[in-house]
């Protein structure tokens, strides 16, 4: 046994974690990284000691390392580890056969003769390194697509890849056991591999198409929301015009009472007709007038739509956007605001009847720093803040609690968006800060 | 030295009403404050503040309207006040439509907002604001303000308001529990401990507790009951430092 083989084994185990580590390198703490490298070494040593070259053990070990140390994004990492595994088996097979055929070396020589071992295994290691880097790049690209946020899509791709893999392995093992001719085994494997790859690509394309349809629906919804908003604005304008007219009439009446010196009737009239207009000034829709200052139509529609429902069900809604504000990274901000607003509305609905139910959305800019803030009244004291963004945390029973986890993933992909959560005076705050030029703060 | 209280609204009658309320509160509660004047334009107010600063009075209490019927609105006025007086207390008295609570709180650290809509509530809220300003001033004098910053955010805490501080599950983060909420920051318990006064003790590996908020200590179950009824753990080492 020499160092080349050890490195080769090490790579066999490490390439699965590598496909995970490279695209996520910004989010992985150093201690986790060194721990995983260390454990890979240990696993390699054990594997080398027992020399069982059966590939699945290595991949299994690699996947376990991912799961143990990087418990976020389990699904995608396992899918990519498996993909790495498929590539490794195929490469292994092709390489072994090629070398043996070309140089007329036996398998025993490859393993035991140092003259062949060193160049052969070094070459293999380099090839695996290249493969894992390519896969990592693919993984990184994948993480940036819409597919990545869809759990079901990832699960179905994962299951499919797993089944393909099982069939592929079974085919090779079975044919070898039944002593099929070498050429036939090779031929079958290649056909299987091509078929599976093509099928996987088609599934991904199909899922993408589905997602695009979803997005189109979402766009339409946004458009409808915007139209709703415009209609309301027009209504409000008309209302104000009527009010102005009434107001002049009332002033005139007041004037006559005063010039007559009829204080008691003046008082009556003031209390019965003038004072109630205060309520008209606090018109419900006025809460939304600041929305006109958002330039991003998606965000405008979203805030409007969510808050008008909240208002209909009895919440006090307050929006403050005092200046015309352009929103950088509007898509991400909209998605995050949607999640925070959903949570705010859900929470406020559980507040007891007589208690205040406030929801505030504020967007403002301080020099180059844009702040987007969503806050709501809390129904009951929250557990410590660091618990709420984990998967499945919910104040509303099991089966919920995906929202903040998704939000956390969006934030991880967008390190330039700064996020703060806090509780103050019985209000729960979600705050996003982003540099206006879009660069990292 | 008495703290000047400034009032600014474009309607003179209103400023005089506010003045009445403020003066009666000051006399009743014996606050060391005096009404520096009622102003109808931002310029007058700024001039007055400048004059007082020249006399060595370094901060004041400001009651401002937002819509001032001239080019400078209450918001820019507040910003200009902040340039001269970074520690003063700014309170807005305004109508519903002009309300921008969060914007002002963050950008100029406005202390409070009072709505003009309800006249009875207005009187009560002005009183409350004066009380809070007075109490905070005392805290500043005793040097009990601690500031924490995290990326683009800076928060000031009055030490008396902090119940306890704990290490968060997220690495290198701490959670601060105050009497009115909680907040999460990047930082370590050891670093923050150095900035706190000696009424804070490390009662557990991952808990710093404010001794002033301890209601009782359960020596058997190794728990501390705090004034807001939360229970936090205490280690054997912590027990001795807590009881001393």
């Amino acid at each position: 046994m020499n160092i080349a083989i050890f490195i080769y084994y090490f790579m066999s185990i490490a390439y699965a974690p590598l496909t995970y580590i490279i695209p996520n390198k910004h989010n992985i703490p150093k201690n986790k990284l060194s721990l995983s490298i260390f454990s890979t070494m240990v696993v390699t040593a054990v594997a080398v000691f027992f020399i069982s070259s059966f590939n699945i053990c290595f991949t299994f070990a690699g996947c376990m390392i991912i799961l143990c140390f990087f418990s976020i994004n389990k699904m995608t990492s396992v899918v990519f580890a498996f993909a790495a595994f498929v590539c490794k088996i195929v490469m292994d097979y092709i390489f072994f056969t090629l070398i043996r055929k070309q140089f007329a070396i036996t398998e025993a020589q490859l393993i035991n003769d140092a003259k062949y071992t060193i160049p052969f295994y070094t070459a293999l290691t380099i090839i695996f390194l290249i493969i894992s880097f390519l896969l990592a790049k693919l993984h990184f690209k994948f993480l940036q697509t819409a597919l990545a946020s869809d759990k079901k899509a990832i699960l179905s791709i994962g299951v499919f890849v797993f089944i393909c893999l099982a069939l592929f392995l079974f085919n090779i093992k079975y044919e070898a056991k039944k002593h099929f001719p070498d050429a036939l085994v090779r031929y079958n494997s290649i056909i299987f591999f091509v078929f599976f790859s093509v099928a996987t690509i088609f599934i991904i394309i199909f899922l993408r198409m589905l997602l695009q349809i979803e997005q189109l629906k979402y766009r339409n919804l946004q458009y409808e929301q915007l139209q709703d908003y415009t209609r309301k604005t027009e209504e409000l304008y008309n209302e104000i015009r009527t009010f102005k007219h009434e107001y002049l009439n009332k002033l005139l009446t007041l004037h006559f009472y005063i010039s007559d010196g009829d204080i008691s009737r003046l008082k009556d009239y003031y209390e019965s007709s003038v004072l109630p207009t205060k309520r008209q000034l606090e018109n419900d829709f006025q809460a939304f007038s600041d929305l006109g200052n958002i330039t991003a139509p998606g965000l405008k529609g979203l805030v409007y739509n969510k808050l008008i429902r909240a208002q209909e069900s009895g919440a006090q809604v307050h929006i403050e956007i005092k200046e015309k504000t352009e929103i950088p990274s509007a898509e991400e901000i909209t998605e995050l605001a949607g999640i925070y607003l959903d949570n705010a509305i859900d929470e406020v609905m559980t507040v007891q009847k007589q208690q205040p139910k406030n929801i505030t959305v504020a967007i403002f800019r301080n020099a180059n720093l844009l702040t987007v803030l969503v806050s709501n009244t809390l129904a009951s004291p929250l557990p410590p803040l660091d618990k709420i963004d984990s998967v499945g945390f919910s104040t509303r029973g099991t089966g919920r609690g995906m929202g903040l986890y998704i939000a956390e993933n969006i934030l991880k992909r967008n390190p330039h968006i700064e996020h703060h959560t806090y509780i103050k005076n019985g209000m729960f705050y979600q705050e996003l800060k982003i540099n206006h030029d879009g660069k990292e703060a | 030295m008495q703290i000047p209280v400034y009032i600014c609204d474009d309607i003179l009658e209103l400023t005089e009403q506010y003045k009445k309320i403020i003066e009666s509160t000051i006399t009743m509660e014996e606050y060391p404050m005096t009404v520096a004047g009622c102003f109808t334009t931002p310029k007058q107010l700024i001039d007055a503040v400048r004059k007082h600063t020249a006399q060595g009075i370094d901060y004041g209490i400001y009651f401002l309207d937002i819509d001032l019927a001239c080019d400078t609105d209450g918001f820019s006025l507040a910003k200009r006040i902040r340039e001269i007086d970074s520690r003063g207390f700014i309170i807005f008295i305004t109508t519903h439509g002009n309300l921008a609570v969060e914007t002002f709180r963050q950008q100029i650290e406005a202390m409070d907002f009072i709505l003009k809509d309800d006249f009875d509530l207005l009187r009560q809220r002005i009183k409350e604001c004066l009380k809070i300003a007075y109490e905070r001033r005392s805290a500043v004098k005793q040097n009990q303000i601690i500031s924490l910053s995290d990326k683009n955010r800076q928060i000031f805490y009055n030490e008396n308001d902090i119940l306890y501080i704990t290490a968060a599950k997220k690495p290198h983060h701490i959670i601060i529990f105050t009497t009115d909420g909680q907040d999460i920051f990047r930082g370590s318990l050891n670093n923050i401990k150095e900035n706190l006064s000696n009424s804070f003790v490390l009662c557990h590996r991952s808990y710093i507790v404010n001794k002033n908020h301890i209601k009782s200590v359960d020596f058997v179950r190794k728990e501390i009951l705090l004034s807001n009824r939360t229970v936090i753990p205490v280690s054997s080492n912590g027990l001795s430092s807590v009881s001393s």
Side-chain angles (χ1 to χ4, degrees):
Chain A
M1 187 60 53
N2 61 43
I3 190 77
I5 298 184
F6 183 84
I7 294 174
Y8 165 69
Y9 279 139
F10 178 78
M11 274 310 300
S12 308
I13 299 171
Y15 73 136
L18 264 181
T19 58
Y20 181 80
I21 289 169
I22 296 166
N24 290 302
K25 57 184 176 240
H26 296 298
N27 302 324
I28 295 176
K30 287 236 161 56
N31 55 342
K32 274 193 178 176
L33 206 62
S34 46
L35 254 175
S36 65
I37 292 172
F38 176 72
S39 59
T40 312
M41 294 283 234
V42 172
V43 175
T44 313
V46 173
V48 168
F49 185 74
F50 287 107
I51 300 195
S52 87
S53 63
F54 192 39
N55 283 317
I56 204 151
C57 297
F58 289 140
T59 309
F60 190 68
C63 294
M64 284 320 285
I65 289 164
I66 300 184
L67 287 179
C68 289
F69 294 104
F70 318 108
S71 60
I72 32 171
N73 256 330
K74 287 189 189 95
M75 208 76 88
T76 45
S77 35
V78 171
V79 167
F80 276 87
F82 272 120
F85 179 43
V86 175
C87 289
K88 177 182 158 20
I89 289 179
V90 175
M91 285 307 298
D92 232 4
Y93 185 77
I94 294 172
F95 225 72
F96 259 94
T97 338
L98 262 179
I99 295 275
R100 282 212 319 253
K101 285 254 141 101
Q102 291 292 315
F103 300 102
I105 307 166
T106 61
E107 208 169 330
Q109 272 179 312
L110 263 185
I111 295 173
N112 297 320
D113 195 338
K115 200 168 69 187
Y116 301 111
T117 316
I118 295 174
F120 175 68
Y121 282 105
T122 313
L124 262 189
T125 308
I126 291 168
I127 286 174
F128 286 138
L129 249 175
I130 293 168
I131 291 174
S132 55
F133 268 92
L134 286 179
L135 276 170
K137 258 220 155 104
L138 206 69
H139 188 177
F140 188 63
K141 279 240 169 85
F142 177 80
L143 277 180
Q144 288 174 325
T145 62
L147 266 182
S149 54
D150 196 328
K151 289 252 149 184
K152 272 186 201 151
I154 295 170
L155 184 70
S156 49
I157 295 174
V159 167
F160 182 75
V161 170
F162 183 76
I163 291 171
C164 289
L165 192 66
L167 279 174
F168 187 72
L169 280 178
F170 176 76
N171 172 51
I172 294 176
K173 281 270 138 191
Y174 182 80
E175 286 174 350
K177 206 175 170 189
K178 292 282 170 186
H179 302 294
F180 276 40
D182 253 14
L184 189 60
V185 176
R186 216 173 307 140
Y187 179 71
N188 272 349
S189 307
I190 290 168
I191 288 201
F192 261 100
F193 183 70
V194 170
F195 171 72
F196 289 151
S197 314
V198 170
T200 313
I201 289 166
F202 268 99
I203 285 191
I204 291 177
I205 291 173
F206 182 66
L207 278 172
R208 275 218 171 150
M209 258 156 62
L210 275 183
L211 270 171
Q212 267 164 6
I213 293 170
E214 281 291 306
Q215 271 170 356
L216 203 69
K217 272 191 196 155
Y218 177 68
R219 291 259 157 77
N220 278 339
L221 186 75
Q222 273 188 349
Y223 177 70
E224 274 165 31
Q225 287 172 355
L226 209 62
Q227 273 193 323
D228 231 19
Y229 172 76
T230 320
R231 213 190 54 242
K232 271 274 183 188
T233 319
E234 277 162 12
E235 267 173 37
L236 181 74
Y237 176 70
N238 284 332
E239 219 172 276
I240 287 174
R241 244 185 10 194
T242 334
F243 180 75
K244 266 188 184 166
H245 179 76
E246 275 176 31
Y247 182 72
L248 282 175
N249 283 343
K250 280 179 179 147
L251 272 186
L252 194 67
T253 322
L254 283 178
H255 173 78
F256 284 131
Y257 282 133
I258 290 169
S259 59
D260 286 355
D262 192 344
I263 294 298
S264 72
R265 285 186 66 189
L266 173 71
K267 207 173 158 225
D268 281 348
Y269 183 73
Y270 174 75
E271 272 163 13
S272 67
S273 301
V274 181
L275 209 53
T277 53
K278 207 174 91 178
R279 214 147 293 137
Q280 235 166 315
L281 286 171
E282 291 160 8
N283 179 295
D284 280 348
F285 187 70
Q286 238 172 0
F288 293 92
S289 57
D290 277 8
L291 270 185
N293 286 331
I294 304 183
T295 44
L299 188 62
K300 188 190 289 195
L302 177 105
V303 172
Y304 168 73
N305 208 50
K306 299 240 184 244
L307 287 187
I308 201 117
R309 297 235 146 77
Q311 199 178 49
E312 277 162 10
S313 40
Q316 271 92 51
V317 168
H318 175 65
I319 301 173
E320 43 183 78
I321 304 146
K322 292 297 165 197
E323 297 166 290
K324 269 247 176 287
T325 312
E326 256 182 62
I327 312 279
S329 313
E331 236 168 81
E332 288 84 2
I333 296 282
T334 307
E335 208 174 336
L336 288 167
I339 293 169
Y340 297 147
L341 272 172
D342 279 340
N343 282 350
I345 293 165
D346 279 347
E347 174 69 20
V348 155
M349 286 306 122
T350 60
V351 173
Q352 262 155 13
K353 275 235 167 83
Q354 266 72 42
Q355 303 296 318
K357 303 172 171 195
N358 292 316
I359 297 178
T360 301
V361 173
I363 298 175
F364 51 87
R365 206 172 48 198
N366 208 351
N368 253 346
L369 193 71
L370 182 87
T371 303
V372 178
L373 187 145
V374 176
S375 78
N376 63 278
T377 317
L378 274 175
S380 53
L382 262 190
L385 285 172
D386 59 343
K387 299 256 156 58
I388 59 174
D389 53 11
S390 48
V391 203
F393 171 83
S394 169
T395 52
R396 308 176 295 274
T398 48
R400 306 289 297 271
M402 282 313 290
L404 288 180
Y405 176 71
I406 294 170
E408 198 65 12
N409 278 340
I410 297 171
L411 289 167
K412 268 194 190 126
R413 286 204 299 271
N414 296 282
H416 62 287
I417 302 176
E418 187 183 323
H419 172 234
H420 301 285
T421 305
Y422 51 95
I423 299 168
K424 205 174 164 189
N425 294 327
M427 296 283 282
F428 179 70
Y429 288 85
Q430 293 282 16
E431 192 178 292
L432 298 169
K433 284 187 188 292
I434 176 166
N435 247 19
H436 207 260
D437 46 16
K439 288 190 194 102
E440 196 152 340
Chain B
M1 199 176 293
Q2 298 211 312
I3 313 167
V5 180
Y6 306 88
I7 303 162
C8 188
D9 196 307
D10 53 323
I11 301 165
L12 187 66
E13 288 77 10
L14 279 178
T15 61
E16 265 154 15
Q17 289 299 323
Y18 301 155
K19 189 180 171 189
K20 262 192 210 161
I21 301 172
I22 293 165
E23 276 181 336
S24 75
T25 315
I26 291 174
T27 336
M28 234 160 48
E29 305 287 337
E30 295 176 349
Y31 293 141
M33 303 173 187
T34 172
V35 176
C38 299
F39 306 93
T40 47
T41 65
K43 199 182 168 305
Q44 289 173 354
L45 190 138
I46 292 287
D47 288 344
V49 178
R50 286 234 168 84
K51 216 173 81 191
H52 280 119
T53 336
Q55 288 169 8
I57 298 170
D58 52 354
Y59 69 99
I61 299 169
Y62 307 84
F63 287 92
L64 311 174
D65 187 10
I66 291 170
D67 189 3
L68 291 171
C70 67
D71 337 328
T72 335
D73 61 358
F75 183 49
S76 2
L77 172 62
K79 274 191 171 166
R80 281 174 66 189
I81 292 173
R82 272 278 171 261
E83 282 164 17
I84 310 168
D85 176 0
S86 59
R87 292 194 294 145
F89 301 98
I90 298 176
I91 299 133
F92 286 100
I93 304 186
T94 187
T95 51
H96 201 82
N98 279 321
L99 202 61
V101 182
E102 298 304 336
T103 316
F104 289 6
R105 205 197 299 283
Q106 291 218 358
Q107 297 203 2
I108 42 181
E109 287 169 57
M111 189 179 105
D112 210 342
F113 297 86
I114 301 175
L115 285 181
K116 275 181 184 175
D117 311 24
D118 192 328
F119 310 117
D120 296 324
L121 201 64
L122 188 116
R123 180 185 299 273
Q124 196 194 326
R125 300 275 281 137
I126 290 180
K127 280 185 183 172
E128 278 170 20
C129 283
L130 288 171
K131 183 164 179 258
I132 293 169
Y134 175 68
E135 282 170 1
R136 282 206 198 157
R137 190 198 67 117
S138 320
V140 174
K141 269 200 172 161
Q142 288 162 36
N143 224 350
Q144 286 173 332
I145 300 293
I146 165 164
S147 95
L148 284 171
S149 52
D150 187 354
K151 291 179 191 161
N152 284 311
R153 199 165 65 115
Q154 188 172 29
I155 307 288
F156 294 93
Y157 286 104
N158 188 345
E159 271 195 10
N160 282 336
D161 294 339
I162 300 176
L163 294 170
Y164 68 100
I165 301 164
T166 166
K169 204 175 63 180
K170 200 168 160 189
H172 312 300
H173 280 75
I174 51 172
I175 310 183
I176 298 189
F177 289 82
T178 56
T179 43
D180 67 354
Q182 39 174 314
D183 207 332
I184 187 161
F185 283 97
R186 209 181 154 77
S188 77
L189 284 182
N190 286 332
N191 285 348
I192 191 167
K193 179 83 176 63
E194 283 166 17
N195 296 326
L196 292 165
S197 72
N198 50 15
S199 59
F200 286 83
V201 287
L202 194 70
C203 67
H204 182 272
R205 194 159 41 91
S206 48
Y207 284 87
I208 293 175
V209 68
N210 184 351
K211 279 201 278 191
N212 300 333
H213 281 288
I214 296 180
K215 218 170 159 194
S216 66
V217 181
D218 189 329
F219 285 89
V220 185
R221 288 156 72 183
K222 293 194 174 161
E223 284 171 352
I224 296 177
L225 179 69
L226 296 175
S227 57
N228 74 336
R229 293 212 195 126
T230 32
V231 175
I232 62 169
V234 57
S235 62
S236 312
N237 284 339
L239 273 176
S240 57
S241 51
V242 166
S243 46
S244 64

